[in-house]
Amino acid sequence: MRLEAITWERLAGELTERILAPAPGPDAGGRDASEPTWRRVLIDGAPVAGGGRLAAAVAEELRLRGRSAVVVDAAGFLRAASLRYEFGRRDPDAYRESWWDVSALWREVLTPLDPGGTGRVLPDLWDRELDRATRSAYVELPPGGVLLLHGVFLLGRWFPADLVVHLSLSAGALARRTPAEWQWTLPAFAGYAADERPEEVADVVVRVDHAERPAWNGGAVRRP
């Protein structure tokens, strides 16, 4: 894969352009030219990859262009500790497969933005530190608004998306940047890379081996 250097600021602008690009009309594939009511963007990557930073920067770009945006961190949809730690606190397979409340993400974040949906998005559900529900209020995303969902292991779950961004780290860079207390998660990321092949699936791939010197593949918007 050919990558070119890019700044985080320019990357946020480029992604915003892709998010706002109109869907192709009938002459470009026989599909309806009308835009979807909302746009959904997935930013997939390890916790140290900077997904939250990128999501916030894109949200700001969207707001500057008159579009509402809501940023949701998948880490706010963890399952209760009793379920996460059923097989121990440091089980890589459980970390990948069982820590996140995928059903809640569908129900509270993604499905409300289906055509004809309510547009009411829950920004988070579970407080990991207190191990209890956050009781956060729903956010009303107006028509034309954009959801930016960032987190780990987002691919392979059939989440609907108008744009998928993967923040990629080499195995060596991921190991160097992952704190010592989280080194046990590295096999989970290796398995995810092998099984889901995110660099092949994502519309946009951003290599973040060096946190302040990202590089990207230029990206191409995937259309349904």
Side-chain angles (χ1 to χ4, degrees), residues 46-58:
V48 296
R53 168 186 183 176
L54 181 58
V58 173

Side-chain angles (χ1 to χ4, degrees), residues 1 3 8 11 15 41-46 49 51 54 149 151-155 163-170 174 189 192-193 196-208 215-217:
M1 180 186 300
L3 300 172
W8 286 106
L11 178 61
L15 293 178
V41 179
L42 304 182
I43 301 179
D44 174 69
L54 181 58
L149 173 62
V152 302
F153 312 136
L154 295 181
L155 304 182
L163 184 70
V164 176
V165 181
H166 174 64
L167 302 182
S168 172
L169 285 152
S170 67
L174 179 60
F189 289 104
Y192 177 71
E196 304 303 336
R197 308 182 77 84
E199 292 192 2
E200 298 176 16
V201 173
D203 300 308
V204 176
V205 176
V206 185
R207 181 62 62 85
V208 290
W216 77 321
N217 67 341

Side-chain angles (χ1 to χ4, degrees), residues 82-123:
S82 60
L83 299 173
R84 297 200 310 272
Y85 302 148
E86 181 179 3
F87 301 101
R89 289 178 174 268
R90 296 192 171 194
D91 184 288
D93 292 333
Y95 175 65
R96 176 179 166 189
E97 301 295 340
S98 305
W99 275 40
W100 280 266
D101 192 338
V102 175
S103 296
L105 281 168
W106 273 100
R107 182 180 68 251
E108 306 289 359
V109 178
L110 297 164
T111 300
L113 303 182
D114 283 343
T118 64
R120 297 177 71 245
V121 173
L122 190 65

Side-chain angles (χ1 to χ4, degrees), residues 2-19 53-54 57-59 61-62 65 163 165 204-206 212-219:
R2 183 175 180 179
L3 300 172
E4 62 181 56
I6 191 169
T7 64
W8 286 106
E9 293 77 12
R10 182 184 156 213
L11 178 61
E14 292 280 359
L15 293 178
T16 300
E17 293 290 341
R18 285 158 168 74
I19 293 166
R53 168 186 183 176
L54 181 58
V58 173
E61 284 285 336
L62 287 164
R65 301 183 196 208
L163 184 70
V165 181
V204 176
V205 176
V206 185
E212 297 305 321
R213 299 198 301 275
W216 77 321
N217 67 341

